[in-house]
Amino acid sequence: MDPSTALAVSTGAVPTARRPVWIATVMFVALRLGQMAVTLLVSSFVTFALLRLAPGNPITMILGSQSSNHKAVAALRERFLLDQPLLVQYGHWLGNAIHGNLGESYLYRDSVSSMVADRLPTTLFLVLYGGILVIVFGFFLGLWAARSSRAVDTGISTFLAVAMATPSYVIAIILITIFSLYLNWFPVFGSGHGFVDRLYHLTLPAIALALGASAAMARITRASIIEEAGRDHVLTARARGFGSGYILRRHIVRNALLPVTTIAGLTIASLIAGTFIVEQAFGLDGIGSLLVLAITRDDYPTVQSISFLIMLAFLVMNAIVDVLYTLLDPRTRAVAR
């Protein structure tokens, strides 16, 4: 062995080989999946325990006037494992959930999995529709405000502040009153059938769902664009004579997308929680309206399952944001290796 190599080995100074890109990617994905699994496990248990500790008795809701029948109460408690310790109940629910069985609804006496499967397309379509509106209108309104005159910027900023401060149910009432009752442009209730009809029926709900989130994203986009426009490399590019369009695309928007991407992912994930109010206002048969009804009737399996799906959606959106971040910023890929 060469003396210099031997000295390097003995002192531990031999540089370590860099991991291949695919190994770093697999390790990153495995780490994210492990974090998601632990987060889901902890949050689902906390939700399960809080539901059991909350005031109310589902057996009373199920039996109604027969709740004084002790035999019927004991039979139902045994049927739904309510007579078992909390950890046993949670273990039974978790084992079934892993296999796609979300339990039986106390209220409807039907499979929660089938109920969620019937209503999930409406909610997913609404969230996707609203998410597209948030990204498109939020980004372009913010860009317009950042690149416009002071008067236009002030007008857009005022509109964004009002939109952020207005609750979604108030926006829903205004939209229904103007575009459904007075102008008769859009229907008031129902989610429609087929892609085009569903797009038509869910336009007003998607606007009511996305308006406040679009305003929040527009303000962040505006601030990010203004901040990037004042950086040294942008001023240098202008001094070298590059066109404003080239500078905007290559140096301003590209760097401004990093914080905007993070906010967009979290904002779209938060739209799922906003569907509860919007679905109630527009009479939609989504999981949001199902969750509201299940909460009022102490339907533990339905509340637990929908809450679990919401948590899963948040975690998936966060993972997508992390992946997009590595695509937009090469420095994060270097760290991941």
Side-chain angles (χ1 to χ4, degrees):
M1 179 182 295
D2 184 78
S4 61
T5 305
L7 178 61
V9 171
S10 63
T11 58
V14 177
T16 58
R18 208 177 194 185
R19 297 189 187 97
V21 176
W22 70 270
I23 294 180
T25 303
V26 171
M27 293 179 62
F28 174 76
V29 172
L31 178 62
R32 292 295 295 152
L33 290 177
Q35 292 174 344
M36 288 176 60
V38 173
T39 304
L40 276 176
L41 184 65
V42 174
S43 57
S44 63
F45 176 75
V46 171
T47 304
F48 192 93
L50 291 177
L51 284 174
R52 297 309 188 272
L53 295 175
N57 188 351
I59 301 301
T60 303
M61 297 293 297
I62 295 172
L63 293 177
S65 60
Q66 298 183 356
S67 58
S68 58
N69 188 330
H70 298 292
K71 290 185 178 180
V73 171
L76 282 180
R77 288 182 58 84
E78 181 179 1
R79 175 182 174 181
F80 295 117
L81 300 180
L82 296 177
D83 58 341
Q84 298 294 324
L86 180 64
L87 289 178
V88 175
Q89 296 181 44
Y90 176 73
H92 184 267
W93 176 86
L94 183 62
N96 288 334
I98 293 175
H99 293 88
N101 180 13
L102 299 178
E104 180 184 357
S105 169
Y106 296 165
L107 179 61
Y108 295 98
R109 305 294 183 90
D110 193 7
S111 170
V112 177
S113 301
S114 62
M115 292 168 53
V116 170
D118 292 338
R119 292 172 173 259
L120 190 59
T122 299
T123 300
L124 288 179
F125 196 102
L126 179 59
V127 172
L128 181 61
Y129 196 174
I132 294 174
L133 295 179
V134 168
I135 293 174
V136 173
F137 288 106
F139 179 78
F140 284 104
L141 273 177
L143 180 61
W144 184 19
R147 306 296 293 176
S148 298
S149 62
R150 181 179 297 272
V152 175
D153 183 18
T154 302
I156 296 177
S157 299
T158 302
F159 168 76
L160 296 177
V162 173
M164 288 182 60
T166 306
S168 56
Y169 66 87
V170 175
I171 297 174
I173 294 174
I174 295 173
L175 293 176
I176 291 173
T177 303
I178 297 176
F179 295 101
S180 294
L181 298 181
Y182 288 164
L183 299 178
N184 198 26
W185 288 359
F186 295 97
V188 179
F189 300 107
S191 56
H193 302 281
F195 179 79
V196 177
D197 190 43
R198 180 161 288 185
L199 194 70
Y200 173 60
H201 277 75
L202 295 183
T203 295
L204 290 186
I207 294 174
L209 181 65
L211 188 58
S214 299
M217 183 175 174
R219 293 183 60 136
I220 294 171
T221 302
R222 173 188 174 276
S224 184
I225 292 290
I226 293 175
E227 181 181 0
E228 291 297 329
R231 294 193 180 276
D232 293 339
H233 64 91
V234 175
L235 300 178
T236 302
R238 287 174 180 163
R240 295 178 62 183
F242 289 107
S244 58
Y246 175 84
I247 295 175
L248 179 64
R249 294 190 306 270
R250 191 67 181 268
H251 296 285
I252 299 178
V253 172
R254 186 174 182 178
N255 293 324
L257 283 177
L258 294 175
V260 171
T261 300
T262 303
I263 297 301
L266 298 177
T267 301
I268 293 175
S270 68
L271 294 181
I272 301 174
T275 59
F276 308 151
I277 298 175
V278 173
E279 287 180 2
Q280 288 288 102
F282 288 91
L284 302 178
D285 55 343
I287 62 173
S289 57
L290 177 63
L291 177 61
V292 172
L293 183 60
I295 291 174
T296 59
R297 300 294 183 88
D298 295 330
D299 193 350
Y300 293 165
T302 304
V303 176
Q304 174 72 27
S305 301
I306 295 178
S307 301
F308 179 80
L309 293 176
I310 293 173
M311 290 183 287
L312 178 61
F314 268 89
L315 293 175
V316 170
M317 284 303 305
N318 286 335
I320 292 175
V321 168
D322 288 342
V323 174
L324 291 177
Y325 223 88
T326 60
L327 296 176
L328 292 171
D329 191 353
R331 293 171 298 181
T332 58
R333 293 199 294 269
V335 173
R337 296 181 190 181

